[in-house]
Amino acid sequence: QVQLVESGGGLVQAGGSLRLSCAASGRTFSSYAMGWFRQAPGKEREFVAAINWSGTNTYYADSLRGRFTISRASAQNTVYLQMNSLEPEDTAVYYCAARTTYYASRYSHEYAYWGQGTQVTVSS
């Protein structure tokens, strides 16, 4: 079992930055690919970013590339999402997810474990 706990969400003005953290329990974290997804009110959950088990490969939603950065610190069992130049359209609940394989994916159904989510609100 893997438990994921997100933190770092909050209210920020447009143009600002936030760094989300996802702390994972379990000894096998370092062998799991990790992803971030988000869900805005009335919309489907969408892919944000993903990282493979070693941190050497990262993937982003095309619309977010260049503003968001995913990284991981395996020694701390933590994955991060640095979000810069935030826009009101980035307002959503952000979820961390773990995939029980080395390789990252853009597809939410391929992730076995999910956190409870953290709210990000960007004001205009």
Side-chain angles (χ1 to χ4, degrees):
Q1 275 286 31
V2 175
Q3 290 187 327
L4 304 174
V5 179
E6 302 97 334
S7 61
L11 174 64
V12 63
Q13 288 188 332
S17 298
L18 283 174
R19 188 175 81 156
L20 305 183
S21 299
C22 174
S25 64
R27 293 175 292 175
T28 54
F29 170 79
S30 60
S31 63
Y32 288 174
M34 301 295 295
W36 286 97
F37 293 79
R38 69 184 184 183
Q39 188 167 18
K43 295 187 177 181
E44 294 186 353
R45 187 170 299 186
E46 65 173 352
F47 170 73
V48 173
I51 190 166
N52 72 336
W53 70 281
S54 63
T56 54
N57 292 317
T58 57
Y59 308 88
Y60 298 93
D62 290 343
S63 62
L64 302 176
R65 191 182 302 275
R67 295 195 297 122
F68 288 16
T69 303
I70 188 171
S71 61
R72 66 189 299 161
S74 292
Q76 288 78 39
N77 278 12
T78 303
V79 63
Y80 303 99
L81 184 69
Q82 178 68 43
M83 306 186 295
N84 298 327
S85 302
L86 284 162
E87 304 169 354
E89 293 73 24
D90 296 317
T91 295
V93 177
Y94 284 71
Y95 297 91
C96 171
R99 188 173 188 231
T100 58
T101 179
Y102 290 160
Y103 307 108
S105 170
R106 298 173 177 266
Y107 303 104
S108 61
H109 68 271
E110 295 184 352
Y111 288 80
Y113 301 102
W114 291 82
Q116 82 289 349
T118 185
Q119 176 71 47
V120 171
T121 303
V122 184
S123 63
S124 58

